[in-house]
Amino acid sequence: MTMAHGLNTLRPSLIQCIFHEALVILNRNIGFCWIPRHLVDSLLSQGLLCQLSLKGNSHKRVMMSLVIPNRDVQGPAAELLEKIIIDTHLQHRGAQ
């Protein structure tokens, strides 16, 4: 994800597009990149991509922010998503 400078200002559909383009490039055996594991699990297990062994670590932590622009109009789906995100964060934080 180092190639994705400024992703926090982009729409999710555009971010997905960037990762799709990265996969196209990787499948042509050109370069390397940080990419979310869930997007490449099947390609790794099929041997179509390989994970690089890096000095230090092979995973990158990404800082994310949850933004709720207007709680007065936040619907039930957004409230549920917020709860799931916060619960997951607290579970992972407690496991460390």
Side-chain angles (χ1 to χ4, degrees):
M1 286 193 233
T2 55
M3 62 179 264
H5 176 68
L7 280 183
N8 58 344
T9 62
L10 301 176
R11 293 188 319 266
S13 59
L14 186 55
I15 293 169
Q16 188 66 30
C17 179
I18 291 169
F19 289 135
H20 171 75
E21 294 303 319
L23 286 172
V24 169
I25 292 168
L26 290 173
N27 282 323
R28 292 182 181 164
N29 293 320
I30 301 172
F32 59 93
C33 72
W34 290 100
I35 194 161
R37 181 68 183 234
H38 71 276
L39 295 178
V40 294
D41 272 339
S42 64
L43 297 171
L44 290 168
S45 65
Q46 295 173 40
L48 298 173
L49 289 178
C50 64
Q51 182 173 340
L52 298 176
S53 296
L54 303 174
K55 196 178 226 179
N57 66 32
S58 60
H59 295 83
K60 186 163 187 73
R61 290 182 181 229
V62 178
M63 179 65 72
M64 300 185 87
S65 298
L66 175 62
V67 178
I68 300 168
N70 186 347
R71 287 201 181 275
D72 294 336
V73 294
Q74 183 180 9
E79 288 176 357
L80 179 59
L81 178 59
E82 177 186 4
K83 181 182 179 338
I84 291 169
I85 290 170
I86 291 171
D87 290 349
T88 302
H89 169 74
L90 293 174
Q91 287 174 1
H92 286 301
R93 199 169 107 193
Q96 293 179 352

